[in-house]
């Protein structure tokens, strides 16, 4: 059974304190790894897709990386507006549009 | 630019009642999806559609039905509501399969009592 595990469950950072969120996956036939941001009461907002080990993508203070077993979302010098829940999801080969989501890391950035 | 619009935002149902969750997108996307999100759990795919007239089951389809008569609309039907269907429901869309859901609506929060 495909599994996606995110850690930590919650993370509290001071403004400017860089850190990383982890997404480890055990799946068959990874086709892509997605990162989303979700604000309270809202739907997930797409951030990145990574397709192969070694790939990196950046957007403002966020950088996502991918290895054969895990993905990291690095947050550099975070601001309070980066506070949200970050979800990762593994897109795999399957009979339907099989995407396995993790349960998310809730990030709080304190001014 | 509205994106993906879901209605209603909140609803309380009694056990055994029926209802339809509405989803509309104005981006001319081919693919549309319904997910449910339960506390402490990852999003689960209920049904998806690759185009008008074509739908297929996802991971957790039992108790739900869908139809796709137009490119824009993808309603989700609950026929006999059960407490286990209490959840937040998200509709999503993407232009192609490779892009996967890039656009989500803001959800419908459904409680069944």
């Amino acid at each position: 059974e495909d599994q996606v595990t995110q850690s930590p469950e919650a993370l509290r950072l001071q403004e400017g304190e860089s850190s990383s969120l982890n997404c480890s996956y055990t799946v068959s036939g990874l086709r892509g790894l997605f990162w989303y941001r979700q604000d309270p009461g809202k739907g997930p907002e797409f951030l990145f897709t990574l397709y192969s080990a070694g790939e990196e993508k950046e957007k403002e203070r966020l950088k996502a990386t991918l290895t054969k077993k895990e993905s990291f979302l690095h947050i550099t010098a975070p601001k309070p507006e980066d506070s949200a829940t970050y979800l990762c999801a593994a897109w795999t080969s399957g009979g339907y549009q099989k995407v396995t989501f993790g349960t998310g890391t809730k990030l709080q950035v304190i001014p | 630019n509205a994106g993906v619009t879901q209605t209603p935002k909140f609803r309380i149902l009694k056990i055994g009642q029926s209802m339809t969750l509405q989803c509309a997108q104005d981006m001319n996307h081919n693919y549309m999806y319904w997910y449910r999100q339960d506390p402490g759990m990852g999003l689960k795919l209920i049904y998806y559609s690759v185009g008008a007239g074509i739908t297929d089951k996802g991971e957790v389809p039992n108790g739900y039905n869908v139809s796709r008569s137009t490119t824009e609309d993808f309603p989700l039907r609950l026929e006999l509501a059960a407490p286990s269907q209490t959840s937040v429901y998200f509709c999503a869309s993407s232009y192609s399969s490779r892009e996967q859901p890039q656009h989500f609506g803001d959800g419908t929060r459904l409680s069944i009592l």
Side-chain angles (χ1 to χ4, degrees):
Chain A
E1 182 181 341
D2 294 341
Q3 285 192 330
V4 174
T5 304
Q6 291 188 247
S7 62
E9 288 186 11
L11 181 62
R12 197 175 182 195
L13 299 174
Q14 293 289 329
E15 184 173 1
E17 180 187 2
S18 301
S19 188
S20 297
L21 312 183
N22 178 264
C23 171
S24 63
Y25 59 91
T26 307
V27 301
S28 300
L30 183 73
R31 300 176 71 180
L33 191 292
F34 307 103
W35 281 98
Y36 290 88
R37 169 194 171 123
Q38 186 173 22
D39 293 304
K42 299 291 186 180
E45 176 187 348
F46 172 76
L47 292 172
F48 305 109
T49 307
L50 301 167
Y51 292 105
S52 58
E55 189 174 1
E56 298 183 353
K57 289 193 176 174
E58 289 188 64
K59 180 180 180 180
E60 297 180 356
R61 294 176 293 281
L62 301 177
K63 183 169 83 171
T65 62
L66 182 66
T67 73
K68 289 185 178 181
K69 293 183 179 181
E70 57 193 350
S71 179
F72 293 94
L73 184 66
H74 307 278
I75 304 175
T76 303
K79 298 182 178 182
E81 53 262 41
D82 294 322
S83 297
T85 296
Y86 291 85
L87 306 175
C88 72
W91 177 30
T92 60
S93 305
Y96 53 88
Q97 299 293 306
K98 187 163 172 57
V99 179
T100 303
F101 278 82
T103 54
T105 293
K106 186 175 182 179
L107 173 66
Q108 183 183 14
V109 182
I110 303 163
Chain B
N1 199 3
V4 177
T5 302
Q6 291 185 239
T7 56
K9 294 188 185 302
F10 304 94
R11 184 75 184 267
I12 298 174
L13 282 182
K14 294 182 178 178
I15 295 171
Q17 287 185 321
S18 300
M19 79 162 293
T20 299
L21 282 65
Q22 301 291 344
C23 175
Q25 53 93 7
D26 62 358
M27 297 170 284
N28 201 32
H29 282 172
N30 295 315
Y31 287 68
M32 295 187 74
Y33 310 77
W34 276 105
Y35 288 88
R36 59 178 288 172
Q37 187 176 41
D38 299 308
M41 304 285 287
L43 285 151
K44 301 285 188 186
L45 181 66
I46 304 171
Y47 270 95
Y48 70 99
S49 169
V50 301
I54 306 170
T55 63
D56 208 346
K57 296 177 181 178
E59 188 178 358
V60 290
N62 291 344
Y64 307 94
N65 280 298
V66 293
S67 60
R68 183 111 180 258
S69 57
T70 67
T71 299
E72 294 77 21
D73 300 298
F74 190 40
L76 178 72
R77 177 86 176 160
L78 281 71
E79 290 293 348
L80 290 171
S84 61
Q85 293 177 306
T86 294
S87 188
V88 181
Y89 292 85
F90 288 101
C91 179
S93 72
S94 66
Y95 182 73
S96 70
S97 170
R98 183 168 175 80
E99 295 175 17
Q100 280 292 314
Q102 288 196 9
H103 301 269
F104 279 81
D106 284 339
T108 293
R109 283 145 187 84
L110 180 62
S111 294
I112 298 164
L113 306 175

